[in-house]
């Protein structure tokens, strides 16, 4: 149970690890103990209302059934939209509609959304809002290090003028921020005070999730936010010790917990079990922190094996009457994009097609997967685009172009602005434009693609498309830029990867909307780690979890995707060979 010694509690971690469940369970327990608690979510995929089983809006309101608990959902998209309007409204009589549109797109990245959200909730910490009415304020999702570093620079708060670096895309005119620099400094001082604030890093007992927690811990520590604790959620323990499948799952989880990253080993760690039921409603939230209550709640669900098309069917569709094309796996971190890309590339190559597999994954996990194989098809080539190297090159170019006449503060602001995720995506896009061109004569599979915002930034605000048009002597009808190639549904197939859980599904849906804004519609959804596609276990906890996946698949197939494919959960560390064997030997391969 998290300590009640600090007034402000932040829960941070990747999507789907259980931030909302743990933050809500903590809020319920503290309210039960007599504390007056405010729970605030800034998660763009927030399901706070579902978890609390109570109405939640952008205004503070009491949670149904609890006298001391109140909740608020800051919608980051609305906050960012209001911020963009405040920035552009004073200029609407001066600039053209096209220029206003360009400005808004420059302010549509993840950085702007985070800063707008932070601007909203900072008032609850500064004491200038209703925050002083509560004993404890719990935040579901913490601000990123980039947001905090950027707002820490005095130059970021300067009046918007020619002195500011041209094209700084995160802040824009700072007069549009509701917060003052004085208020911000007070907030950051509070966040750094271990007597007032605690950061809970939420992870799963999985390598990618723990790696993300390690990165977050390091980034927070570099900012002086050192009062951290580690929560490992969803730790599986087999209920049926004779079930080999379940025992393997438990062994994998324990192995990961014993080999957590070094910088996490010094943190106080708390484990929470994988439950047989979804944690929705006050009673089940209480049970998350109470083992006796867990034993009283019985889900009683029988599962049925879901007959979902697998990777083999996806490969058949992608290669039907075609010997080339661009395939891009997209999705949030930790959902299995790299596994999906590697498996698709191998399976297409095994059909005799020429395939090039490339990745922008900074950890180069593609190579790890490929090295698991005893034999690599001769028609497959593999390389990687180093995001750090490409970003460094791009950053140096921009600093030379735009930083020459800036003072030290201006250069620091420009440099911090260039540390945003958008910069990396733009830099990497230029690098894999070459790979896109290869897709006209062979299959090219790219692991990790740019977001819709990045593509619009390049096309509308940017420039890559217009640069080509400006410098070529060819007629526009004869030119096909990389951005145009991505919009070509016949050439390019975007595969959206998710997990069979509510939060990852919502995050993937948000990404899909972002892409559609740029004129790109995903070809299919691929749902990874599906227990409901497996029939090789009988453990009651796993059976109950598998049954719960049915609702997620139903929403995806009926509301979100034209085509849905699945990857079964496999209890092994050598995932790629196991997955390829699954489709070689399993009856599901030809009998879905």
């Amino acid at each position: 149970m998290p300590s009640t010694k600090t007034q402000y509690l932040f829960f941070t971690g990747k999507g789907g690890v259980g931030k909302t469940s743990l933050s809500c369970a903590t809020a319920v327990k503290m309210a039960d103990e007599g504390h007056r608690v405010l729970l605030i979510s800034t998660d763009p995929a927030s399901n706070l209302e579902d978890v609390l089983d109570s109405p939640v809006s952008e205004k503070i309101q009491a949670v149904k059934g609890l006298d001391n608990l109140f909740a608020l959902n800051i919608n980051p998209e609305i906050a960012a939209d209001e911020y963009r309007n405040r920035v552009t409204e004073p200029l609407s009589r001066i600039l053209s509609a096209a220029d206003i549109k360009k400005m808004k797109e420059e302010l549509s990245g993840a950085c702007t959304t985070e800063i707008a959200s932070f601007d909203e909730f900072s008032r609850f910490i500064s004491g200038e809002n209703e925050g002083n009415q509560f004993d404890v304020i719990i935040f579901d999702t913490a601000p990123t290090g980039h947001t905090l570093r950027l707002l820490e620079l005095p130059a970021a708060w300067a009046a918007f003028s020619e002195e500011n670096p041209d094209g700084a895309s995160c802040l824009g005119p700072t007069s549009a921020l509701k917060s003052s620099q004085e208020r911000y400094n007070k907030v950051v001082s509070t966040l750094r005070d271990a007597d007032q604030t605690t950061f809970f890093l939420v992870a799963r007992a999985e390598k990618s999730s723990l790696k993300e927690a390690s990165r977050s811990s390091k980034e927070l520590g570099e900012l002086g936010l050192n009062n951290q604790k580690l929560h490992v959620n969803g730790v599986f323990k087999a209920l049926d010790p004779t079930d080999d499948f379940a025992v393997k799952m438990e062994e994998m989880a324990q192995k990961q917990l014993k080999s957590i990253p070094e910088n996490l080993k010094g943190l106080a760690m708390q484990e929470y079990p994988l439950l047989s039921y979804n944690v929705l409603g006050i009673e089940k939230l209480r049970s998350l922190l109470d083992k006796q209550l867990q034993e009283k709640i019985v889900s009683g669900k029988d599962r049925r094996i879901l007959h979902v098309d697998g990777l083999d069917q996806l490969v058949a569709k992608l290669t039907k009457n075609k010997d080339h094309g661009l395939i891009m796996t997209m999705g949030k971190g930790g959902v299995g994009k790299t596994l999906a890309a590697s498996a698709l590339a191998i399976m297409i190559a095994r059909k005799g097609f020429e395939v090039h597999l490339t990745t922008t994954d900074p950890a180069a996990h593609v190579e790890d997967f490929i090295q698991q194989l005893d034999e690599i098809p001769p028609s497959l080539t593999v390389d990687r685009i180093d995001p750090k190297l490409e970003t460094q090159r791009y950053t140096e170019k921009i600093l030379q172009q735009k930083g020459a006449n800036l003072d030290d503060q201006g250069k620091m602001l420009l440099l911090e602005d260039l540390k945003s995720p958008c910069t990396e995506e733009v830099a990497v896009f230029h690098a894999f434009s070459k790979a896109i061109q290869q897709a006209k004569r062979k299959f090219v599979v790219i692991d990790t693609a740019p977001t819709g915002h990045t593509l619009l930034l390049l096309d509308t605000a940017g420039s890559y498309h217009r640069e080509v048009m400006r410098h070529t002597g060819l007629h526009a009808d004869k030119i096909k830029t990389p951005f145009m190639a991505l919009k070509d549904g016949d050439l390019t197939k975007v595969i959206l990867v998710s997990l069979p859980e509510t939060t990852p599904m919502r995050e993937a849906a948000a990404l899909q909307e972002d892409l559609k804004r740029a004129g790109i519609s995903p070809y299919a959804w691929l749902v990874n780690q599906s227990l409901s596609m497996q029939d090789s276990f009988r453990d009651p906890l796993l059976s109950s979890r598998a049954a719960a996946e049915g609702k997620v698949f139903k929403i995806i197939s009926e509301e979100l995707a034209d085509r849905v494919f699945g990857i079964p959960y496999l209890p092994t560390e050598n995932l790629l060979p196991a997955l390829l064997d699954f489709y070689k030997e399993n009856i599901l391969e030809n009998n879905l």
Side-chain angles (χ1 to χ4, degrees), residues 44-278:
S46 175
N47 58 337
L48 204 59
E49 190 165 288
D50 296 336
V51 174
L52 291 171
D53 190 24
S54 180
V56 179
S57 69
E58 292 170 44
K59 294 184 178 179
I60 296 174
Q61 60 189 107
V63 173
K64 189 172 60 181
L66 283 170
D67 294 335
N68 291 331
L69 180 57
F70 300 80
L72 168 71
N73 191 39
I74 295 174
N75 186 316
E77 297 301 332
I78 292 176
D81 195 47
E82 290 175 350
Y83 174 73
R84 284 188 288 272
N85 289 335
R86 290 196 300 272
V87 169
T88 57
E89 201 281 328
L91 303 172
S92 60
R93 295 184 183 89
I94 304 170
L95 300 177
S96 68
D99 286 334
I100 293 293
K101 181 180 178 182
K102 174 182 175 180
M103 282 188 69
K104 286 190 173 183
E105 189 52 51
E106 288 177 337
L107 292 166
S108 292
C111 314
T112 301
T113 303
E114 287 169 354
I115 286 169
S117 297
F118 184 72
D119 190 35
E120 292 293 325
F121 78 63
S122 66
R123 293 174 295 133
F124 290 95
I125 300 175
S126 65
E128 299 174 41
N129 209 324
E130 300 96 325
N132 55 15
Q133 301 173 13
F134 299 93
D135 302 319
V136 179
I137 301 182
I138 298 174
F139 296 92
D140 173 20
T141 302
T144 65
H146 170 65
T147 298
L148 296 174
R149 287 193 309 270
L150 181 64
L151 289 173
E152 205 162 30
L153 294 173
W157 294 91
F160 191 69
S161 68
E162 292 180 1
E163 295 177 4
N164 275 351
D166 178 41
S169 61
C170 291
L171 276 175
T174 52
S175 59
L177 290 173
K178 295 178 183 177
S179 300
S180 65
Q181 188 173 11
E182 182 181 357
R183 175 196 284 161
Y184 171 78
N185 289 338
K186 182 178 180 180
V187 169
V188 172
S189 177
T190 300
L191 297 184
R192 287 175 172 156
D193 185 349
D195 292 329
Q196 296 188 73
T197 305
T198 305
F199 289 88
F200 295 98
L201 306 169
V202 184
R204 294 278 184 129
E206 299 167 356
K207 187 175 182 179
S208 64
S209 182
L210 289 165
K211 181 180 176 182
E212 174 71 10
S214 172
R215 186 198 62 77
S216 296
S217 177
K218 182 180 179 182
E219 189 175 46
L220 292 170
E222 289 171 350
L223 292 162
L225 309 174
N226 294 308
N227 192 15
Q228 305 172 18
K229 298 180 187 298
L230 177 63
H231 283 350
V232 182
N233 190 36
V235 179
F236 176 70
K237 292 188 177 174
L239 297 181
D240 183 348
T242 66
D243 184 338
D244 290 341
F245 187 101
V247 169
K248 283 182 182 177
M249 280 188 63
E250 181 177 345
E251 289 173 350
M252 284 174 57
Q254 291 306 311
K255 183 177 180 180
Q256 292 298 333
L257 289 175
K258 288 176 182 176
S259 58
I260 65 172
E262 284 298 320
N263 66 321
L264 297 181
K265 290 180 179 177
L267 302 181
M269 185 176 83
Q270 179 72 46
E271 293 181 27
Y272 298 89
L274 182 69
L275 301 174
S276 62
Y277 49 86
N278 287 326

Side-chain angles (χ1 to χ4, degrees), residues 22 127 136 241 309 418 430 448 492 508:
L22 282 170
V136 179
D309 285 352
L418 287 167
H430 285 294
T448 304
T492 301

